[in-house]
Amino acid sequence: MAGTVLRGVTGSAGVALGPAFIVRETSSDAAPATALSGDPVQPASERARWQAARQRVSETYQRLAERARQIAGPQEAEILEAQEMMATDPELEEQVGTRIDHGATAEAATRVAIAQYADAMSAIEDPYIRQRADDVREIGQALLRALAGADPVPFAALPSGAVLCAETLAAGALILLDRERLAGLALGTGGPTSHIAILARTLNVPAVLGLGPFLDDLTEGTTIGVDGTRGEVYIDPSADQLQSLQQAVKDYAQERAEIASLVDQPAITPDGVHLELFANIGGPGDVASALAAGAEGIGLFRTEFLIAGRATLPTEEEQYQTYRTVLDAAGARPVIFRTFDIGGDKPVPALGLPPEANPFLGYRALRIGLDRTELLTTQFRAILRAAEGSHNAWIMLPMVATVEEVRQARALYAEARQGFSVQPPLGIMIEIPAAALNAEALAREVDFFSIGTNDLVQYTLAVDRLDERLTSLYQPFHPAVLRLIHMTAEAARAQGKHCGVCGEMGGDPEATALLLGLGVNELSMNAGALGSVKREVLRTPLADAHRLAADALACATAAEVREAIQVFRAAHATAG
Ligand code: PEP
Ligand code: MG
């Protein structure tokens, strides 16, 4: 395999070089189907073994969730809590127990029950649930390891500077790893929106995912190069490859150091234009790291964590406490609260909604809020209460398609505001093409816009944002998307309204100059991206960005746009 280059997908940017540390799956086929001793299986003792293993897995995942909450934020913690719940799911216990009673070993019973559980999830059309099948398989691996007397989540032995190579990796495992020792990640599975990718980006670990089966011929300790920016993995690189990888690692380290030194600088272009750089958060635990990374405000607070996946609705008081915590932590900086963006990929058991044929086009987000108005008004009240004092709260409505929706929401907002002295601005997300096309009319109705490029790309190109098979068609740089962004920013500018971008594109340094040139005045992103985006702003005169945007708008394909950006960035790389 010497000198082989494997192509996968970008999980997390950056370059790493180091010895392979291979984590092979606990081969489920190797799990004994009958008692090893040759004696008949004793159901009682197998059940006891299984329960002990499940207990260890449960405790491990609880610890991991706690650690995740501290080092990565509530969203990551929730992933692990959900996995812990899978391990202790009574349904799983019943499935395993029945098989043990029929003479299977705990291992064999676990293997079959987990496979059925995961297969049932894989068969569900909802891509969100489909992705959870991987989480179930990971829990299955943890149970099998625990049954073998090993750590449910391994890796204590990770050597310093290693590149971890595995077929799959539980998000929990990445949390457990010593970041100082882990140089990079190469995985057979996973896509750009998988949990592991999000976590790798949060922790700044270069990662390539979706490589397919690649472990068979790989030996422990082989030198591996991971180019997370290009999505390439080098196995035992040739002398030439090694040289350029070493240079890339050096450049990457230098880039990180340079970026870290920009934390306290405002993002001002060489011709003196300030582009506000905000952070997206998923809960109160994310604010501190956002501010530490230099965020000037919170451009998107995804409040859904208070409601998604829960059996009961959050009360006004509970919401108030959460919102207050966030506002207190943000000080005088703006915090944009997005009202519940639920439905679609974010199911809400508390609402008992029936399954839909097209959840992304269905009963979701503001549509639910305008139908179940108590949900929206309770949230308005909780935000208004929290905003009293010297805070800077803004309120944003997701998934707006029409002017009428905005008017209805505004009327509810006016009612909710009675008796409050604070008046948070009310804005909308532009994430449905119709809203972008009608931005001029919408701008008259609202105080600000924030462009949700994740959904805008999905709806413009009719490409499910979660479907890994369609990754190549999911093109944020498609000229059609850029025209919609331009129309939106123009409409906002003409009426003196603020216009941000809070989708993933806002945190992509490749898109920074373009978005600046298209006319947006704020970018909101994962805190980890703030430094790289700021560096772009510092290098990009607004006048040049305008020219780039004009060129991009005249392109026919996303590939042409990317090419124009590459040329532009190369020419501006040393400025600033
Ligand atoms: C978006 O659609 O771009 C966005 C920011 O919202 P979400 O990713 O939460 O749908
Ligand atoms: Mg969205």
Side-chain angles (χ1 to χ4, degrees), residues 294-316:
E296 298 170 84
I298 304 302
L300 170 63
F301 175 10
R302 291 184 165 102
T303 59
E304 300 78 63
F305 84 99
L306 282 165
I307 188 169
R310 273 183 46 166
T312 54
L313 295 175
T315 61
E316 179 184 313

Side-chain angles (χ1 to χ4, degrees), residues 75 280 300 302 304 338 341 345-346 360 364 396 398-399 429-432 450-459 465 474 501-505 524:
Q75 275 173 320
N280 295 348
L300 170 63
R302 291 184 165 102
E304 300 78 63
R338 178 173 72 183
D341 186 9
D345 58 330
K346 297 156 190 154
F360 276 113
R364 53 170 309 197
M396 177 159 76
M399 294 294 299
M429 291 197 68
I430 301 287
E431 49 187 346
I432 297 180
S450 186
I451 304 174
T453 50
N454 304 341
D455 278 314
L456 188 62
V457 173
Q458 153 165 278
Y459 292 128
R465 61 191 263 191
Y474 186 88
V501 170
C502 63
E504 287 301 304
M505 209 173 171
S524 192

